[in-house]
Amino acid sequence: MFYHDNKLQYTVRVDTPDPRFARLLQQAIGGVEGEIRVMLQYLFQAWGNRGPTKYRDMLLETGTEEIGHVEMLATAVALNLEGAPASLQEQAATTNPIVGAIMGGMDPRQYLSAGMAALASDANGVPFDGSHVYASGNIAADMYSNVTAEATGRALACRLFELTDDPGMKDMLRFLIARDTMHQQQWLAVIEELGGHKGVLPIPNSFPDSEQVQDVAYDFFATGIEGVEPPAGRFT
Amino acid sequence: MFYHDNKLQYTVRVDTPDPRFARLLQQAIGGVEGEIRVMLQYLFQAWGNRGPTKYRDMLLETGTEEIGHVEMLATAVALNLEGAPASLQEQAATTNPIVGAIMGGMDPRQYLSAGMAALASDANGVPFDGSHVYASGNIAADMYSNVTAEATGRALACRLFELTDDPGMKDMLRFLIARDTMHQQQWLAVIEELGGHKGVLPIPNSFPDSEQVQDVAYDFFATGIEGVEPPAGRFT
Amino acid sequence: MFYHDNKLQYTVRVDTPDPRFARLLQQAIGGVEGEIRVMLQYLFQAWGNRGPTKYRDMLLETGTEEIGHVEMLATAVALNLEGAPASLQEQAATTNPIVGAIMGGMDPRQYLSAGMAALASDANGVPFDGSHVYASGNIAADMYSNVTAEATGRALACRLFELTDDPGMKDMLRFLIARDTMHQQQWLAVIEELGGHKGVLPIPNSFPDSEQVQDVAYDFFATGIEGVEPPAGRFT
Amino acid sequence: MFYHDNKLQYTVRVDTPDPRFARLLQQAIGGVEGEIRVMLQYLFQAWGNRGPTKYRDMLLETGTEEIGHVEMLATAVALNLEGAPASLQEQAATTNPIVGAIMGGMDPRQYLSAGMAALASDANGVPFDGSHVYASGNIAADMYSNVTAEATGRALACRLFELTDDPGMKDMLRFLIARDTMHQQQWLAVIEELGGHKGVLPIPNSFPDSEQVQDVAYDFFATGIEGVEPPAGRFT
Amino acid sequence: MFYHDNKLQYTVRVDTPDPRFARLLQQAIGGVEGEIRVMLQYLFQAWGNRGPTKYRDMLLETGTEEIGHVEMLATAVALNLEGAPASLQEQAATTNPIVGAIMGGMDPRQYLSAGMAALASDANGVPFDGSHVYASGNIAADMYSNVTAEATGRALACRLFELTDDPGMKDMLRFLIARDTMHQQQWLAVIEELGGHKGVLPIPNSFPDSEQVQDVAYDFFATGIEGVEPPAGRFT
Amino acid sequence: MFYHDNKLQYTVRVDTPDPRFARLLQQAIGGVEGEIRVMLQYLFQAWGNRGPTKYRDMLLETGTEEIGHVEMLATAVALNLEGAPASLQEQAATTNPIVGAIMGGMDPRQYLSAGMAALASDANGVPFDGSHVYASGNIAADMYSNVTAEATGRALACRLFELTDDPGMKDMLRFLIARDTMHQQQWLAVIEELGGHKGVLPIPNSFPDSEQVQDVAYDFFATGIEGVEPPAGRFT
Ligand SMILES: [Ca+2]
Ligand SMILES: [Ca+2]
Ligand SMILES: [Ca+2]
Ligand SMILES: [Ca+2]
Ligand SMILES: [Ca+2]
Ligand SMILES: [Ca+2]
């Protein structure tokens, strides 16, 4: 069961509202690397978990934290949409600040559909899609999936960090980036507890080795035609 | 910011697991009338709210409650998937209980993709779609939208109630149906506070009456060709 | 069965074509608050109706009217795409007017996919999605759904009205806004005929009160942790 | 502008309701080969048309006819859902006829979401998707697209014909199949008017031949590696 | 089975990178008229084919060619994203070239989600959707579908050609346009082999004429009300 | 550039066609864990790659291999749809074998839309969705994403293995499962080459540690309210 208070997990401050950045932040809310996805992913993994209680508990702890990240980002979007800055207005050669903001790169639906607020969509306005909630019922597969979600999520947050000069927004992103660092560690720590990468592989490890076509289970297959050298490395 | 404990808001008990019912429950999780939708809808309405604090607070209270409803239903799905009942097995004329369950109407992805757990999808396996998160920035429009969500949600829950004989499932649905009753009242109470239906109409009421083509603003338009009598009623 | 003539329901005139506005109008065509949605919603409600004939007839009358609104808006898009205005061209510092228009905020697919015409998509290019056609089989739920559709639709039309200075476009929107006013009244009038808000609640009212967990059916549940005051109002 | 009367374009009669067939009919309503698609496709082609008036007029005539086909099919779905036939009930070994119907292959959302009526979705419950509304702004491309829609639509209708023994349903399909025959002819007749297949090719024919890499414009490219004989035919 | 080498089918060269054009090219990659669609469409038609081997072989040959077209376009996107041109930077009045490029019309996800590379999406960021892979099991219907895909694909390529001044991009498009010319011929040649348009119609031609309502199979139906003249032409 | 021959990568044989299994196989074709996804994912990662050539080459080799896996599975679907087995027919108490097969759990669109062939969709008929093609531009993030794809893909293949008794299908799956084993190793080997898990973390490692809020970068945050013990483990 869930509870809330009226605080944000970390300060969200916007020094100079920027409706263009409000659009970019949408990727971190409703995008495939975003916070709605990890929130639902960890919660569904917890709710479907049949293994040791501690993993279920851990997933619930962190899934709940992620709801607060959606909250921080939705708040950041609303703050970035407070008025349309003069610079955009001038550039757009129009007297209507919202028209100017849309021409300058704002998501039109943040105004048309939401009256200047965040949407459950990505930076191109594509709605959040529940098929990205990966909860496979295999704890090792889920942990790799979670590492991936946090790795692409952190890459996204670092890119957003580069695209703003706003001190408030940079501060918020420094926090979210740090949490993504922790969460990457956290899911990998579970893999270590489960025996490490070698120990969990191949996933699922319940399938008997003798049942797979063993002589193709550790071979790199080259598909190049003549003249193409297969690459060399540990992976071949 | 959000918190959790390890309790469910109300007991979830399944006396006789039924994988077919596990599929039907998906509609209440990831369907357009489902709990993920109201959870996100109330939270996004709260986070985008620029009006009186009390509505923001109320939306946050109830949005948080709805997370717990997703949790109850996801738990109910997992319990219904515990083993495949003998009856289905026999009916399917197969010795593999999961094959039997799929033939009997189970969602195959609950096994194939989730290893016997809930998905963020509807009863046909269509993933939850964030475009159903209505948060228009207009408090009156949002309240009607919330009444609609609870009305279709309660209709869904009552239909699910009819489709199961399981005492545990019936008990859980009795609770969810009651909460939907309350939530319908709750959103309509806000409309009353705002001046009642007459008071808030037309939505948005900030648009000056004189700007609309006044002589078509209160006329019923018949589109029937000759021989078609327009219906009579208060609405014409 | 359906018929047509070669008139529009109301004049559609564009004084100064604006490809940016052509993009914004897409929300009113293929968006979740748009005219394709209400057209299909009222028609499907009519076709699935098992109640008194007059509601079926009414839904058919208005559903048919909405087809004409899609037509008006699609026409408005085409007119706004006639040539790309000089102002955009200059701003874009390019000699190709379409490149200029796309840089200035035009939907690129209106040219790339449709050769300068309307799409069955929203203002972000997301295709119309049939899951927004709500027809629940419960007349009261459907009426609230219809009020919501007209309320968010009118909010959208009023926002579009603000975003254009074109006298022709403003005139067309004045008409559509007025029709949305009427349609809000119309669906609420049905609720009054059915007994008023108190009379129809809870929806569905066929479910026996005694079957729901009665003591939570009229209680506001607070989910705040210590230090959070639940809001006070009629809704609690 | 559009009008309606209270007749169907052709009788819709169901002798023995079959909820399974109600699911299959959904493909002809909201599927990629279905009637919502052709309805919107012909109307959007008409509304975006900048060529000779007669093609616009023709598209409007037939687009309007297609609305009536959606109506026929939605009516057919509702009739097939009237009660659940005894045979299904018995087969399902359950006393609840709707549970029996769902187990027997009915679309669960026709009951759960629509209260026993048609949805704007396909036979797998996937909602109608506006990206299938092809209106390219090129009349020849659109005519081939329309032929394709009617060819796949007629193939679908013929397959539905095979899957039912109900005399009423067979009769309705005989009519719809005949209309698809006509519509295939109709769109090809436009191509003939435009100069025939040779005359319109390559589409678009406004692009100067000299601008394309002429020596690959009429060559079949084989991508088979050694040992693979390219097929021989008029197409190579 | 499939093979590759490290060459492109035709040179891809970008003289002046243009992130705006990188967005427009997405339509040709992941759009409904794009190369992922034809690649999968021809391959699925081949794999499902039960007719003469030569058509299966031909579909496989050309489906394989199309994979190389996706490759060319994805390469073109990456090259157009190499740095952000000074002109955009200045126009955007910002010192951050990526911010400038996004304001100037770049797809933000090409940076945020892909780190400056192509996505499997269209020009509005809508992901590729497998429902556009038409493979109906009827060879004649499929051939019309393929002609349509190549006709709309060539229209798209010609429009892209108009929207760029880059000599490298124009050269690449000249090649792709030529291949679309050939592929239009190719699919029509199959129809000729099958008996020509008259020979294959109505599709499917396995359905007995006597089973359809013959007297409406060759009639144009007018849906105009009084005052509307039905258009005259070969199609009526 | 790509090439093909007329062989399958491994024998595909179906001893007893089973239309129900044809539906389940769809998950491995067009599902989120399926082969279209990995095919496009590895190819897009290759085409967007700006790092050492060998990783680009490796991705191209394996991406090409995956096209052949889609081919194998599409072939397996077609073979499973050859006729409808007598057992299903009897069970369905119908003389029409396709009706029987659909009642028994076949995907209706495999017949209605594809004439007994594979679709580019998942086991619930949801079309393949390009947003699952993860290619982030960060090689380490992409490798974790690829491990996840192969881990969930192998879990899916093992589950399919359990659900069939057909010796031919079991044999094909033994091969695909073995390839998934190899591919898991392969992507992890790249991570080892890049410095191992510790070496690549946090992803992206180009973001300066000093810029993140360092004191929350390695802390487990508990969100439980009083009475909830945070779980203990390496991850906290
Ligand atoms: Ca987070
Ligand atoms: Ca609820
Ligand atoms: Ca309207
Ligand atoms: Ca039709
Ligand atoms: Ca091509
Ligand atoms: Ca594979």
Side-chain angles (χ1 to χ4, degrees):
Chain A
M1 197 184 164
F2 296 84
Y3 306 90
H4 74 101
D5 61 22
N6 292 328
K7 284 172 276 191
L8 295 172
Q9 199 190 7
Y10 189 81
T11 316
V12 175
R13 198 186 80 234
V14 172
D15 293 70
T16 313
D18 183 351
R20 297 165 310 182
F21 198 61
R23 178 186 174 195
L24 301 183
L25 286 169
Q26 286 288 156
Q27 191 64 27
I29 293 175
V32 297
E33 321 87 344
E35 302 285 355
I36 296 179
R37 187 251 182 122
V38 285
M39 162 183 103
L40 290 175
Q41 182 158 311
Y42 304 158
L43 293 176
F44 272 82
Q45 287 177 7
W47 296 329
N49 192 281
R50 285 181 166 79
T53 311
K54 73 174 168 182
Y55 297 130
R56 179 185 175 96
D57 290 351
M58 179 191 62
L59 287 160
L60 220 45
E61 299 272 14
T62 306
T64 305
E65 181 182 355
E66 305 291 7
I67 314 174
H69 294 180
V70 186
E71 184 178 42
M72 287 171 62
L73 287 159
T75 304
V77 165
L79 292 173
N80 272 294
L81 292 169
E82 287 291 352
S87 61
L88 273 184
Q89 232 169 297
E90 280 155 30
Q91 183 214 359
T94 165
T95 55
N96 185 321
I98 295 168
V99 172
I102 291 170
M103 285 179 61
M106 178 185 161
D107 176 344
R109 290 196 60 217
Q110 287 182 335
Y111 179 59
L112 294 178
S113 297
M116 290 300 186
L119 297 158
S121 305
D122 76 9
N124 280 326
V126 177
F128 174 73
D129 167 353
S131 67
H132 288 272
V133 176
Y134 286 84
S136 70
N138 179 297
I139 180 93
D142 283 357
M143 289 305 118
Y144 282 111
S145 181
N146 295 354
V147 172
T148 304
E150 296 288 346
T152 51
R154 195 172 182 271
L156 170 61
C158 293
R159 287 163 183 170
L160 288 169
F161 186 87
E162 261 182 82
L163 296 181
T164 181
D165 293 322
D166 189 84
M169 283 295 91
K170 276 186 162 338
D171 189 40
M172 177 192 79
L173 289 164
R174 274 188 195 102
F175 175 81
L176 292 172
I177 289 167
R179 296 310 296 150
D180 290 349
T181 302
M182 172 57 196
H183 292 157
Q184 292 177 23
Q185 301 285 352
Q186 184 177 329
W187 311 127
L188 282 169
V190 175
I191 291 174
E192 286 195 37
E193 278 200 359
L194 297 171
H197 300 279
K198 294 225 160 54
V200 299
L201 252 57
I203 296 171
N205 57 17
S206 55
F207 191 80
D209 265 19
S210 55
E211 285 282 26
Q212 65 183 346
V213 180
Q214 205 62 15
D215 58 347
V216 301
Y218 298 94
D219 260 15
F220 182 80
F221 279 12
T223 56
I225 56 166
E226 49 184 332
V228 177
E229 282 297 298
R234 292 189 64 134
F235 46 80
T236 52
Chain B
M1 197 183 162
F2 296 83
Y3 306 90
H4 74 102
D5 61 23
N6 293 329
K7 285 172 277 192
L8 296 172
Q9 200 190 5
Y10 190 81
T11 315
V12 176
R13 197 187 81 236
V14 173
D15 293 69
T16 313
D18 183 350
R20 298 165 311 180
F21 198 61
R23 177 186 175 196
L24 301 184
L25 286 169
Q26 285 289 154
Q27 191 64 26
I29 294 176
V32 299
E33 320 88 343
E35 302 285 355
I36 295 179
R37 188 252 182 122
V38 285
M39 162 182 102
L40 290 174
Q41 182 157 312
Y42 303 158
L43 293 176
F44 271 82
Q45 286 178 9
W47 296 329
N49 192 281
R50 284 179 166 80
T53 311
K54 73 174 167 182
Y55 297 130
R56 179 186 176 96
D57 290 351
M58 179 191 60
L59 287 160
L60 221 45
E61 298 272 13
T62 306
T64 305
E65 181 183 354
E66 304 291 7
I67 315 173
H69 294 180
V70 186
E71 184 179 42
M72 286 170 64
L73 287 159
T75 303
V77 165
L79 292 173
N80 273 294
L81 293 169
E82 287 292 352
S87 61
L88 274 184
Q89 233 170 296
E90 280 154 29
Q91 181 214 2
T94 166
T95 55
N96 185 322
I98 296 169
V99 172
I102 291 171
M103 285 179 59
M106 178 186 162
D107 177 344
R109 288 196 62 217
Q110 287 182 335
Y111 179 59
L112 293 178
S113 296
M116 291 301 186
L119 297 157
S121 306
D122 76 9
N124 280 327
V126 176
F128 174 74
D129 167 352
S131 67
H132 288 272
V133 177
Y134 285 84
S136 71
N138 179 295
I139 180 92
D142 284 358
M143 289 305 117
Y144 282 111
S145 180
N146 296 354
V147 172
T148 305
E150 297 288 347
T152 50
R154 195 172 181 272
L156 169 61
C158 293
R159 287 162 183 170
L160 289 168
F161 186 87
E162 261 183 84
L163 298 181
T164 181
D165 293 323
D166 189 85
M169 284 294 93
K170 274 188 164 334
D171 188 40
M172 177 191 78
L173 289 164
R174 273 188 196 101
F175 175 80
L176 292 172
I177 288 166
R179 296 310 295 151
D180 291 349
T181 301
M182 171 58 195
H183 292 157
Q184 292 178 23
Q185 301 285 353
Q186 184 175 329
W187 312 125
L188 281 170
V190 175
I191 292 175
E192 284 194 39
E193 278 201 358
L194 297 171
H197 300 279
K198 294 227 160 53
V200 299
L201 253 58
I203 296 171
N205 57 16
S206 56
F207 191 80
D209 265 17
S210 56
E211 285 280 25
Q212 65 184 347
V213 179
Q214 205 63 16
D215 59 347
V216 300
Y218 298 94
D219 261 15
F220 182 80
F221 280 14
T223 56
I225 58 166
E226 47 185 334
V228 177
E229 281 297 299
R234 291 188 65 133
F235 46 80
T236 51
Chain C
M1 197 183 164
F2 296 84
Y3 307 89
H4 73 100
D5 62 22
N6 293 328
K7 283 173 278 192
L8 295 172
Q9 199 191 6
Y10 190 80
T11 317
V12 176
R13 195 186 82 235
V14 173
D15 294 69
T16 314
D18 183 350
R20 294 165 314 180
F21 199 62
R23 177 186 174 195
L24 301 183
L25 287 169
Q26 285 290 154
Q27 191 64 28
I29 294 175
V32 298
E33 320 88 344
E35 303 285 355
I36 296 180
R37 187 252 182 120
V38 285
M39 162 183 103
L40 290 175
Q41 183 158 310
Y42 303 157
L43 293 176
F44 272 82
Q45 287 177 9
W47 297 328
N49 192 283
R50 285 181 166 78
T53 311
K54 74 174 167 181
Y55 297 130
R56 178 185 177 96
D57 289 351
M58 180 191 59
L59 287 160
L60 221 45
E61 298 272 14
T62 306
T64 305
E65 181 183 355
E66 305 292 6
I67 315 174
H69 294 180
V70 186
E71 184 178 44
M72 286 171 63
L73 287 159
T75 304
V77 165
L79 292 173
N80 272 294
L81 292 169
E82 287 292 351
S87 62
L88 272 184
Q89 229 169 299
E90 279 154 30
Q91 183 214 0
T94 167
T95 55
N96 185 320
I98 295 168
V99 172
I102 291 171
M103 284 179 60
M106 177 186 163
D107 176 345
R109 290 197 60 218
Q110 287 181 335
Y111 179 59
L112 294 178
S113 296
M116 289 301 184
L119 296 157
S121 307
D122 76 9
N124 280 326
V126 177
F128 175 74
D129 168 353
S131 66
H132 288 272
V133 177
Y134 286 83
S136 70
N138 179 295
I139 180 92
D142 283 357
M143 288 305 118
Y144 282 110
S145 180
N146 295 355
V147 172
T148 304
E150 296 289 346
T152 51
R154 195 173 181 271
L156 169 62
C158 292
R159 288 163 183 170
L160 288 168
F161 186 87
E162 262 182 82
L163 297 181
T164 181
D165 293 323
D166 189 84
M169 284 295 92
K170 275 188 166 331
D171 189 41
M172 176 191 80
L173 289 164
R174 272 188 198 102
F175 174 81
L176 291 172
I177 289 166
R179 296 309 296 151
D180 290 349
T181 301
M182 172 58 196
H183 293 156
Q184 292 177 24
Q185 302 285 354
Q186 184 177 329
W187 311 126
L188 281 169
V190 175
I191 292 174
E192 285 195 38
E193 279 200 358
L194 297 171
H197 301 279
K198 294 226 159 54
V200 298
L201 253 58
I203 295 170
N205 57 17
S206 55
F207 190 81
D209 266 17
S210 56
E211 284 281 26
Q212 65 183 346
V213 179
Q214 205 62 16
D215 59 346
V216 301
Y218 297 94
D219 259 16
F220 181 81
F221 278 14
T223 56
I225 57 165
E226 48 184 333
V228 177
E229 282 296 299
R234 292 187 65 134
F235 47 80
T236 52
Chain D
M1 198 182 161
F2 296 83
Y3 307 90
H4 73 102
D5 61 22
N6 293 328
K7 284 172 278 192
L8 296 173
Q9 201 191 4
Y10 190 82
T11 316
V12 176
R13 197 187 81 236
V14 172
D15 294 69
T16 313
D18 182 351
R20 296 166 312 181
F21 199 60
R23 177 185 175 195
L24 301 183
L25 285 169
Q26 285 290 155
Q27 192 63 27
I29 293 176
V32 298
E33 321 87 344
E35 302 285 355
I36 295 180
R37 187 251 182 121
V38 286
M39 162 183 102
L40 290 175
Q41 182 158 310
Y42 303 158
L43 292 176
F44 272 82
Q45 287 177 8
W47 296 329
N49 191 281
R50 285 182 165 78
T53 311
K54 73 173 168 183
Y55 297 130
R56 179 187 176 93
D57 290 351
M58 179 191 60
L59 287 159
L60 222 44
E61 299 272 14
T62 307
T64 305
E65 181 183 356
E66 304 292 7
I67 314 174
H69 295 179
V70 185
E71 184 178 42
M72 287 170 63
L73 286 159
T75 304
V77 165
L79 292 173
N80 272 294
L81 293 169
E82 287 292 351
S87 62
L88 273 185
Q89 230 170 296
E90 280 154 29
Q91 182 212 2
T94 166
T95 54
N96 185 320
I98 296 168
V99 172
I102 291 171
M103 284 180 61
M106 177 187 163
D107 176 345
R109 289 196 61 218
Q110 287 181 335
Y111 178 59
L112 293 178
S113 297
M116 289 301 186
L119 297 157
S121 306
D122 76 9
N124 280 326
V126 176
F128 174 74
D129 168 352
S131 68
H132 287 273
V133 177
Y134 286 83
S136 71
N138 179 294
I139 180 91
D142 283 357
M143 289 305 116
Y144 282 111
S145 180
N146 296 354
V147 173
T148 304
E150 297 288 346
T152 51
R154 196 173 181 272
L156 169 62
C158 293
R159 287 162 182 171
L160 288 169
F161 187 87
E162 262 181 83
L163 298 181
T164 181
D165 294 322
D166 188 84
M169 284 295 92
K170 276 188 164 335
D171 188 40
M172 176 191 78
L173 288 164
R174 273 188 196 101
F175 174 80
L176 292 172
I177 288 166
R179 295 311 295 151
D180 291 348
T181 301
M182 171 57 195
H183 292 158
Q184 292 178 24
Q185 302 284 354
Q186 185 176 327
W187 311 126
L188 282 170
V190 175
I191 292 175
E192 284 194 38
E193 278 202 358
L194 297 170
H197 300 279
K198 294 227 161 51
V200 298
L201 254 58
I203 296 172
N205 58 16
S206 55
F207 191 80
D209 265 18
S210 55
E211 285 282 25
Q212 66 183 345
V213 179
Q214 206 61 16
D215 59 347
V216 300
Y218 298 94
D219 261 15
F220 182 80
F221 279 13
T223 56
I225 57 166
E226 48 182 334
V228 178
E229 282 297 298
R234 290 189 65 134
F235 46 80
T236 52
Chain E
M1 196 183 162
F2 297 84
Y3 306 89
H4 73 101
D5 62 22
N6 293 327
K7 283 173 277 194
L8 296 172
Q9 199 190 9
Y10 190 80
T11 316
V12 176
R13 196 186 82 234
V14 172
D15 293 70
T16 312
D18 183 350
R20 296 166 311 182
F21 199 61
R23 177 186 174 194
L24 302 183
L25 286 169
Q26 286 289 156
Q27 192 63 28
I29 294 175
V32 298
E33 321 88 344
E35 302 285 355
I36 295 180
R37 187 250 182 121
V38 285
M39 162 183 103
L40 289 175
Q41 182 158 311
Y42 303 157
L43 292 176
F44 271 83
Q45 286 177 8
W47 296 329
N49 191 282
R50 285 180 166 79
T53 311
K54 73 174 167 181
Y55 296 130
R56 179 186 177 95
D57 289 352
M58 180 191 61
L59 287 160
L60 220 46
E61 299 271 14
T62 306
T64 305
E65 181 182 356
E66 304 292 7
I67 314 174
H69 294 180
V70 186
E71 183 177 43
M72 286 170 65
L73 286 160
T75 303
V77 165
L79 292 173
N80 272 294
L81 292 170
E82 287 291 351
S87 62
L88 273 184
Q89 230 169 299
E90 280 155 28
Q91 183 213 0
T94 166
T95 54
N96 184 321
I98 296 169
V99 172
I102 292 171
M103 285 180 59
M106 177 185 163
D107 177 344
R109 288 196 62 217
Q110 287 181 335
Y111 179 60
L112 293 178
S113 296
M116 290 300 186
L119 297 156
S121 306
D122 77 8
N124 280 327
V126 177
F128 174 73
D129 168 354
S131 67
H132 288 272
V133 176
Y134 285 82
S136 70
N138 179 295
I139 181 92
D142 283 356
M143 289 305 118
Y144 282 111
S145 181
N146 296 354
V147 172
T148 304
E150 297 288 346
T152 52
R154 195 172 181 271
L156 169 62
C158 293
R159 287 163 183 170
L160 289 168
F161 186 87
E162 261 182 83
L163 296 182
T164 181
D165 293 322
D166 189 84
M169 284 295 91
K170 276 189 163 337
D171 188 40
M172 176 191 79
L173 289 164
R174 273 188 196 100
F175 174 80
L176 292 172
I177 288 166
R179 295 310 296 151
D180 290 349
T181 302
M182 171 57 195
H183 292 157
Q184 291 177 25
Q185 302 284 354
Q186 184 176 328
W187 312 126
L188 282 169
V190 175
I191 292 175
E192 285 194 38
E193 279 201 358
L194 298 171
H197 300 279
K198 295 226 159 50
V200 298
L201 251 58
I203 296 170
N205 57 16
S206 55
F207 190 81
D209 265 18
S210 55
E211 285 282 26
Q212 65 183 346
V213 180
Q214 204 65 13
D215 59 346
V216 301
Y218 298 94
D219 259 15
F220 181 81
F221 279 13
T223 57
I225 57 167
E226 50 184 333
V228 177
E229 282 296 299
R234 294 188 63 134
F235 47 80
T236 51
Chain F
M1 197 182 163
F2 296 84
Y3 306 89
H4 74 101
D5 62 22
N6 293 330
K7 284 172 280 194
L8 296 173
Q9 200 190 5
Y10 190 81
T11 316
V12 176
R13 197 186 81 235
V14 173
D15 294 69
T16 313
D18 183 350
R20 297 166 312 180
F21 199 60
R23 177 186 175 195
L24 301 184
L25 286 169
Q26 284 290 154
Q27 192 63 28
I29 294 176
V32 298
E33 320 87 344
E35 303 285 355
I36 295 180
R37 187 252 182 120
V38 286
M39 163 183 102
L40 289 174
Q41 182 158 309
Y42 303 158
L43 293 176
F44 271 82
Q45 286 178 8
W47 297 328
N49 191 281
R50 286 180 166 80
T53 311
K54 73 174 167 181
Y55 297 130
R56 178 185 176 96
D57 289 352
M58 179 191 61
L59 287 160
L60 222 44
E61 299 271 15
T62 307
T64 306
E65 181 182 354
E66 305 291 7
I67 314 173
H69 295 179
V70 186
E71 184 178 42
M72 286 170 63
L73 287 159
T75 304
V77 165
L79 292 173
N80 272 294
L81 293 169
E82 288 291 352
S87 62
L88 274 185
Q89 232 169 296
E90 281 154 28
Q91 181 212 1
T94 166
T95 55
N96 185 321
I98 295 169
V99 172
I102 292 172
M103 285 180 61
M106 177 187 163
D107 177 345
R109 291 196 60 218
Q110 288 181 335
Y111 178 60
L112 293 178
S113 296
M116 290 300 186
L119 297 157
S121 307
D122 75 10
N124 280 325
V126 176
F128 175 74
D129 167 352
S131 68
H132 288 272
V133 177
Y134 285 85
S136 71
N138 179 295
I139 179 92
D142 284 357
M143 289 305 118
Y144 282 110
S145 179
N146 295 355
V147 172
T148 305
E150 297 288 347
T152 51
R154 194 171 181 274
L156 170 61
C158 293
R159 288 164 182 169
L160 289 168
F161 186 87
E162 263 181 83
L163 298 180
T164 181
D165 293 323
D166 189 84
M169 283 295 94
K170 275 188 162 338
D171 188 41
M172 176 191 79
L173 288 164
R174 273 188 196 102
F175 174 81
L176 292 172
I177 288 167
R179 296 310 296 149
D180 290 350
T181 301
M182 171 58 195
H183 292 157
Q184 291 178 24
Q185 302 285 353
Q186 184 176 329
W187 311 126
L188 281 170
V190 175
I191 291 176
E192 284 194 37
E193 278 200 359
L194 297 170
H197 300 279
K198 294 224 158 53
V200 299
L201 252 59
I203 295 170
N205 57 16
S206 56
F207 190 81
D209 265 17
S210 56
E211 285 281 26
Q212 66 183 344
V213 179
Q214 205 63 15
D215 59 346
V216 299
Y218 298 94
D219 261 15
F220 182 80
F221 279 14
T223 56
I225 57 166
E226 46 184 335
V228 178
E229 282 296 298
R234 292 187 64 134
F235 47 81
T236 51

